[in-house]
Amino acid sequence: MTRSTKYILVIAALIPFFHAAAFSQTLFGTLKGRVIDAANKKPLGDVVVLIREHRTNMLTDREGRFLVGQVPAGSYTVDFVQPGYAGLTKTDVRIRAGESTVLAIELAALVPQLRVQVNVQGERLPAEERKASSVATLNFEETVRMPGTVMDVSRALNALPGTSHVSEISNDLIVRGGSPWENGFYIDNIEMPNVNHLQSQGSSGGMIGIINALFIEDVNFYTGGYAARFGNRMSSIIDIKFREGSRERTTYQLNLNLAGFGASAEGPFLGKKASWLFSFSRNYHDLIAKMIGYGVAPRFGDVHFKLTFDPTPRDKFTLLNVYGQSALSYGLDTAVGEGFMGALDYSSRQNTVGLNWLSEWAGGAGSSNTTLSYSFYRISYRLTDLVPSSAWMDYILNEEGTDSLVLRNINAVSLGRRNKAEFGADIRWETADFKNYFTEYINRWGMDIPAADEQSRTRTSMAGAFLTFILRPWEPLTLSVGVRADYFFYNRRAHLSPRFAASFGLSSNLTLNASFGIFRQVLPMFLLASNAANKLNRDPLAVHAILGLKFDPSESLRLSFELYDKEYRYFPLAPENPSLFVMDSGIDFEFFRTYAALVDTGTAHARGVEVFLQKRIIEKFYGIFSVSLFRSTFRDYFGIQRDRVNDNRYIMTVVGGYKPNDKWNVSVRWNLAGGVPYTPFDVEASRQANMGMIDKSQILARRYPDYMTFNFRLDRRWVFSRSSLNLFLSIVNAFNRKNMDRYYWNRIENKPDVVYQAPLIPVFGVEYRF
């Protein structure tokens, strides 16, 4: 039986049978929510709420609330307009039969001289950042339905400009030359230290995301120049908002596809003052791999829970819990057949629980957002060499456990109609346990590295505070001036990080933006604690300088053009591996080997130009077009400038979709990326050692072939009286292109060999909501 035949049989076996009731009446749902001032969070009355396709409009009440009943089930575009405020448009607002869709809307005030101007925006962003540089927003439909992402948030964000492509095997986010470790994730203002299954040490990436994309309302992706309220991250911030659960009735959803099974439920609590969301999922990649005879595959699952409670009209509490567990194991026989270095036994567990309190101040003068969260992460990684007593390590053991408690407070206050101040503080307490064991080996430079057995337990804390003024001296100009102060108790270092941004309206739909700032981040504790001398090193920093134009020719279309320059200082380098940029070690499931004392003389540079066109789905067509041209380099231990392993130089992404009605949706995604640098093997030296020894005369001098892929997805939806059914077919790498992942040294045959990325993979899925 061929592999393609096995795929077809597997897909056929997964197709469930549903009994669907015929339509006996028109199916209706409800739209409701609240509109507030973006600066001080006070409720806004008399805001016009217009549902375009339904041709229905109403006004909000004194508390800013609105409710539109008897809306036929479907997807809508909703406008929010009030004189004196910038209007806002929400696209892809889905109304479900027998349920309420809840929207939380913030409108930005205009200066008094131009109170009658209406400037429609289509993003959920803080008011001062709607026209800021280096930020893009994806809504639910754009995130979930994008082909080739398997509903993984990180893979969806890789369609946006500013991200590099190294390998599709991992969902690493590499933003403007940064390492994956430099990205920060937040859900409902709650910090998420890790959002991926099978995360490698020192990386923000993994094999697949933990986050349930079906809970997402929208995602804001800051790729540079972000506000001072975000600290301890040098490259990007991913700010995710989960929707609220239904407050009308309890509903359930089942999801089944080639990748796994999931179930979710939501409903009201305490009357209608609270709502809850719950979901769990379990993949069966391991079972599919056995059925089709393809490689090895991991096991993973996750559990989500969100409770939202509004005890008063001015207070909202959110309780969030996200749990994930993953494992990957295979023996020596499997390793031989698949060309791996050895037998692997990997397992991890992680959890984040957080409570967020949003409170509007009396009189509408401002608001406070306070979060307390606790996270833990446990990982065990054991790799046994395929060829014992060779030059490569016979055995690797990494056991890691981290616990963190974070308290975060953000306050916003209006300073009249024109200006706003934002201030707050955060503190983190962290405990880290590490156990690393490496047998003696010869590194790629041919140096003998002695065996290492490191065990450490470290307790430390970090505190920060920030202050930002958003000033509007006159209508076309908005200035953001801020500073962040941080203190890291482990190495007793204090820092000030200024941030500056300006936005100038050249016309009603053309904006010039500029930003400059310093962004700092402490090294991971497993690097700092591995040698006492590392405590003396300076903390890395990045300097961002950005200049851009944003053009909004219509409410559904945005075009942006940006130039950026990003300079890194004080990065760790390892004298025993002088050509390695240490913080890139976590890319693509690689790991950090033990190092002697690190030095902080590493520098790096990234500069580029980005073009981004986004078409919202107000009409039947929607899409994304992005182009990034960039260079990413570093200076090694000897001061030689080299290309970094994430230096694609050029990336182009096209995402397009056609939605003729609420029943059908077809979408495609095409990616092109330049090949990243690699160092070729010294073939004779590698054969003698039976391991990959680098050619020292060609460090990062060669490039892999260009990467290109085409993905396709087709959705068909049915809506019934109290349920809905969605069937989809997604094809990953539809042209079955053989994209190279990397060269490796085949130690069984003692020769160089190739690992390829994903072949053509059809994925059939079912989503049933009732």
Side-chain angles (χ1 to χ4, degrees), residues 417-648:
R417 291 280 293 177
R418 294 172 179 264
N419 307 317
K420 170 185 171 183
E422 190 175 74
F423 62 94
D426 50 66
I427 185 168
R428 169 193 294 272
W429 298 270
E430 183 172 305
T431 300
D433 292 279
F434 303 101
K435 182 179 181 181
N436 293 299
Y437 175 74
F438 300 88
T439 53
E440 181 181 4
Y441 71 103
I442 300 175
N443 71 6
R444 62 179 190 164
W445 281 76
M447 300 173 62
D448 291 317
I449 305 300
D453 187 0
E454 300 174 348
Q455 298 187 43
S456 68
R457 180 179 179 84
T458 306
R459 290 188 177 91
T460 188
S461 56
M462 180 189 309
F466 68 91
L467 173 64
T468 301
F469 290 100
I470 296 93
L471 310 173
R472 300 181 179 91
W474 69 90
E475 172 59 16
L477 179 64
T478 300
L479 300 176
S480 175
V481 182
V483 64
R484 182 174 181 91
D486 292 284
Y487 185 79
F488 187 34
F489 289 85
Y490 180 78
N491 58 9
R492 300 181 181 179
R493 291 191 179 274
H495 302 294
L496 284 178
S497 303
R499 314 274 174 91
F500 171 82
S503 174
F504 187 84
L506 300 173
S507 67
S508 60
N509 53 16
L510 181 62
T511 307
L512 176 66
N513 305 293
S515 63
F516 176 86
I518 295 177
F519 301 80
R520 302 177 189 268
Q521 187 173 352
V522 300
L523 290 174
M525 283 306 302
F526 66 84
L527 283 179
L528 283 174
S530 63
N531 191 304
N534 293 340
K535 184 184 294 189
L536 302 176
N537 289 346
R538 290 164 292 184
D539 297 324
L541 69 80
V543 180
H544 296 195
I546 303 165
L547 180 66
L549 282 170
K550 284 194 175 182
F551 178 52
D552 299 309
S554 70
E555 59 193 347
S556 65
L557 192 63
R558 164 163 288 184
L559 174 64
S560 67
F561 173 85
E562 284 194 355
L563 298 168
Y564 70 88
D565 185 271
K566 188 175 181 181
E567 181 184 352
Y568 287 103
R569 304 173 190 170
Y570 314 136
F571 262 67
L573 296 176
E576 69 267 35
N577 203 338
S579 67
L580 174 69
F581 195 74
V582 171
M583 295 316 302
D584 286 346
S585 298
I587 294 177
D588 191 20
F589 294 112
E590 293 294 334
F591 52 87
F592 290 82
R593 292 171 169 84
T594 182
Y595 305 106
L598 299 169
V599 298
D600 63 3
T601 57
T603 62
H605 214 118
R607 57 173 62 91
V609 56
E610 299 169 358
V611 178
F612 180 48
L613 177 66
Q614 185 174 27
K615 171 69 171 63
R616 296 287 189 182
I617 190 171
I618 291 181
E619 295 86 17
K620 296 180 180 180
F621 293 93
Y622 62 95
I624 289 172
F625 172 76
S626 70
V627 176
S628 299
L629 305 175
F630 62 96
R631 290 297 310 275
S632 179
T633 62
F634 74 101
R635 290 193 180 276
D636 68 9
Y637 183 75
F638 298 126
I640 301 173
Q641 181 170 301
R642 303 188 186 280
D643 294 334
R644 288 180 66 178
V645 295
N646 55 37
D647 182 41
N648 294 103

Side-chain angles (χ1 to χ4, degrees), residues 130-160:
R130 285 197 179 125
K131 291 187 176 182
S133 56
S134 302
V135 58
T137 300
L138 295 178
N139 61 28
F140 168 79
E141 293 288 344
E142 290 170 318
T143 305
V144 173
R145 307 303 179 202
M146 189 180 295
T149 65
V150 291
M151 294 196 296
D152 181 349
V153 175
S154 295
R155 295 179 189 272
L157 294 177
N158 268 313
L160 301 179

